[in-house]
Amino acid sequence: MAFLPTFLVRCHHMTTKSAGVSIAEVGGVFGGAGIITGGLVGDWLVFILACNVIAAPLMVVAVLVDDRRAAIFLSAAVVALFMVMVGPPGAIVQSLVPNRMRATAAGFFAVLANLVGGSLGPLCIGYLSDRLRGTHGDESIRYALAWSMLFCVWGQVHWFLASRAMPGD
């Protein structure tokens, strides 16, 4: 979500105010719904993985579509689907460690998740957007966001591989 406002301003010529309001609605309403859904269905890892596998190509469509309303609507669906994955990984991490280590494990997991998703992810997308700027101009953010979904799929493959070991743990 870090670059959705930039995407809406550059590619769909929205004001920063209208882009901010749209992102607040998308993140607040649909993100919240996704997080609650993830908590309710957290025991069905296959469902959670399916949500994220669907979300990645849907995000590619959301950033490549030319219609502003379609981009916002699709982004809302993507945010809801991605947010399903917020709660269950933390619960999984805590279930894999002894009781006395749960808070530490949760803390380490949160730091790692934020370093990758909140720091390295936007840094890489910004770098890629800058590299693509020569050929795509302001539209470069569109293509950088689309390419970033490869990392989401890569991550989901690893969650799936890890899930195969879970019943034995």
Side-chain angles (χ1 to χ4, degrees):
M1 279 200 34
F3 279 101
L4 282 178
T6 303
F7 163 71
L8 292 173
V9 169
R10 285 189 194 171
C11 297
H12 292 290
H13 312 290
M14 294 176 74
T15 65
T16 53
K17 179 182 177 182
S18 61
V21 169
S22 294
I23 295 304
E25 292 168 347
V26 165
V29 175
F30 293 92
I35 290 170
I36 291 168
T37 301
L40 295 173
V41 300
D43 292 334
W44 300 306
L45 190 59
V46 173
F47 173 79
I48 293 166
L49 291 173
C51 285
N52 287 301
V53 169
I54 293 166
L58 195 58
M59 181 63 174
V60 172
V61 174
V63 298
L64 295 180
V65 70
D66 286 328
D67 182 65
R68 177 189 325 171
R69 286 188 177 98
I72 293 170
F73 176 76
L74 291 167
S75 295
V78 168
V79 167
L81 289 168
F82 274 142
M83 290 298 116
V84 168
M85 188 73 171
V86 169
I92 290 168
V93 167
Q94 290 186 28
S95 73
L96 294 174
V97 297
N99 289 344
R100 63 181 173 74
M101 296 176 64
R102 286 185 176 172
T104 303
F108 274 115
F109 180 76
V111 167
L112 281 173
N114 283 299
L115 279 175
V116 173
S119 299
L120 292 177
L123 180 68
C124 291
I125 291 169
Y127 177 81
L128 183 56
S129 179
D130 289 346
R131 298 287 71 78
L132 295 172
R133 196 171 189 84
T135 55
H136 298 290
D138 282 345
E139 299 280 311
S140 63
I141 189 67
R142 178 186 302 261
Y143 300 103
L145 286 168
W147 277 104
S148 73
M149 291 301 103
L150 290 174
F151 292 101
C152 291
V153 172
W154 178 76
Q156 293 313 306
V157 166
H158 285 85
W159 272 109
F160 172 75
L161 294 172
S163 75
R164 292 175 44 195
M166 281 296 295
D169 291 334

